[in-house]
Amino acid sequence: MSFYRYILLPSLQKSGRMLVWLLKIILPISLIVRFLDYFGVLAVLAGWLNPVFMHLGLPGSTAIVFITSVFLPLYAPLAIITSMSITLRELTILALMCQISHNLPVECAIQGKTGTSFWSMVALRVVMSIIVGVILNLILPQQMGMPVFARTDAVVLNSVAEVLLIWLKSSLQISLLIIVIVTSLNVLYGIMAKYHLIDKLSKGIEPILKFFGLPVETAFLWLIGYIVGLSYGGAMMLDQMSEGKVTKSDAGLLNYHLAVSHSIIEDNLLFVALGVSLWWILAVRLTAAWAVVWIRKGYLELRKKMSLASVEI
């Protein structure tokens, strides 16, 4: 009874509110994309951007997915992806790019409140997503098959009614996916919070943080960022900062890491459900986050030495 009252019921209520909010974004966007495809706009866009996106191993029409991810949460580009005919190789590249660069106005604003420049976070995430796309295009196998949702039948839609029918079907599928993932995450977090498991886990991940070049004082915030992401966990992160448990410099390093790799559960489940390899996602994001932090630390150390040298002169 206590589990239902204090964990399950609040989690379901929270999931319901989040579902309504997400679907208000996703459904209109996915319908617009369906009509853009129907009227040939995506084909024109593909022709313009093919010369650029071919270096990423992507058709030009996928540019709208990346652009959408920059401004909105991952559920929006996810809905668009399921409306396209792309290979698993293309989906893998696109998934990593969107995971690094998504919902930038909101997430970078949250990071900006902790003392890290909003525009530096935007630039970092966009540049890193492009770098990752180029590298993946070089190392991924050319033949990886088709994703779970693959539209291999190349259905020709002859009327607006058919467009609406296809959109309704895909919308129901994506809605069910969101319900399962969001509710599961909220229940999991409710259990961890009730039994104080988050604090215990923070102690256990200190060696991992040292490997990534992060101060051990950031353990709790790192864990929050990886469990609920920058948007859902923003309030918790800001509270920890305001209490003085983490310094501004430590928070800055953490922001550089989380900018590239965060919400490791939710973000990954969304694309794994479509057929993307979990190991590709984890390996790329964690490696990129590791590199970004150590490069940042090297840059700060070099700038410090140059500053001291100028003072001595």
Side-chain angles (χ1 to χ4, degrees), residues 126-140:
V126 172
V127 170
M128 283 303 299
S129 64
I130 295 174
I131 292 174
V132 164
V134 171
I135 293 175
L136 284 175
N137 186 38
L138 294 174
I139 66 176
L140 281 179

Side-chain angles (χ1 to χ4, degrees), residues 51-184:
V52 176
F53 269 61
M54 67 179 183
H55 296 293
L56 305 175
L58 297 171
S61 58
T62 59
I64 192 170
V65 178
F66 181 67
I67 293 171
T68 300
S69 75
V70 166
F71 293 99
L72 295 171
L74 274 178
Y75 294 99
L78 187 73
I80 300 174
I81 287 173
T82 57
S83 303
M84 294 181 165
S85 296
I86 60 177
T87 66
L88 184 56
R89 185 180 194 273
E90 293 165 349
L91 176 61
T92 301
I93 296 173
L94 199 56
L96 266 301
M97 292 180 66
C98 290
Q99 284 190 334
I100 294 174
S101 290
H102 66 268
N103 204 20
L104 298 191
V106 173
E107 294 187 349
C108 293
I110 291 173
Q111 291 184 303
K113 291 182 179 179
T114 65
T116 305
S117 167
F118 170 88
W119 291 111
S120 67
M121 290 293 95
V122 171
L124 171 68
R125 294 178 67 171
V126 172
V127 170
M128 283 303 299
S129 64
I130 295 174
I131 292 174
V132 164
V134 171
I135 293 175
L136 284 175
N137 186 38
L138 294 174
I139 66 176
L140 281 179
Q142 289 298 320
Q143 300 297 327
M144 296 178 63
M146 300 298 291
V148 172
F149 65 90
R151 292 165 54 193
T152 57
D153 51 358
V155 176
V156 177
L157 302 179
N158 298 312
S159 68
V160 172
E162 291 181 0
V163 174
L164 291 173
L165 184 61
I166 293 293
W167 168 77
L168 181 60
K169 182 179 178 180
S170 64
S171 297
L172 289 174
Q173 292 173 340
I174 198 70
S175 298
L176 289 174
L177 179 63
I178 294 172
I179 290 172
V180 172
I181 292 177
V182 171
T183 302
S184 299

Side-chain angles (χ1 to χ4, degrees), residues 111 121 124-125 208-209 211-214 218 222 225-226 230 250-262 264 285-294 296:
Q111 291 184 303
M121 290 293 95
L124 171 68
R125 294 178 67 171
I208 299 175
L209 296 181
F211 170 77
F212 282 119
L214 298 171
T218 64
W222 184 87
Y226 266 65
L230 291 174
D250 290 349
L253 284 176
L254 179 63
N255 277 334
Y256 272 79
H257 176 96
L258 292 179
V260 179
S261 181
H262 61 266
I264 206 72
R285 292 188 78 184
L286 293 177
T287 301
W290 176 85
V292 164
V293 172
W294 283 107
R296 175 66 176 174

Side-chain angles (χ1 to χ4, degrees), residues 257-302:
H257 176 96
L258 292 179
V260 179
S261 181
H262 61 266
S263 189
I264 206 72
I265 301 174
E266 182 180 20
D267 287 5
N268 290 350
L269 285 177
L270 291 173
F271 287 100
V272 168
L274 298 183
V276 179
S277 168
L278 174 64
W279 304 114
W280 272 114
I281 295 175
L282 284 176
V284 172
R285 292 188 78 184
L286 293 177
T287 301
W290 176 85
V292 164
V293 172
W294 283 107
I295 291 173
R296 175 66 176 174
K297 291 181 74 172
Y299 166 76
L300 292 176
E301 185 65 25
L302 179 61

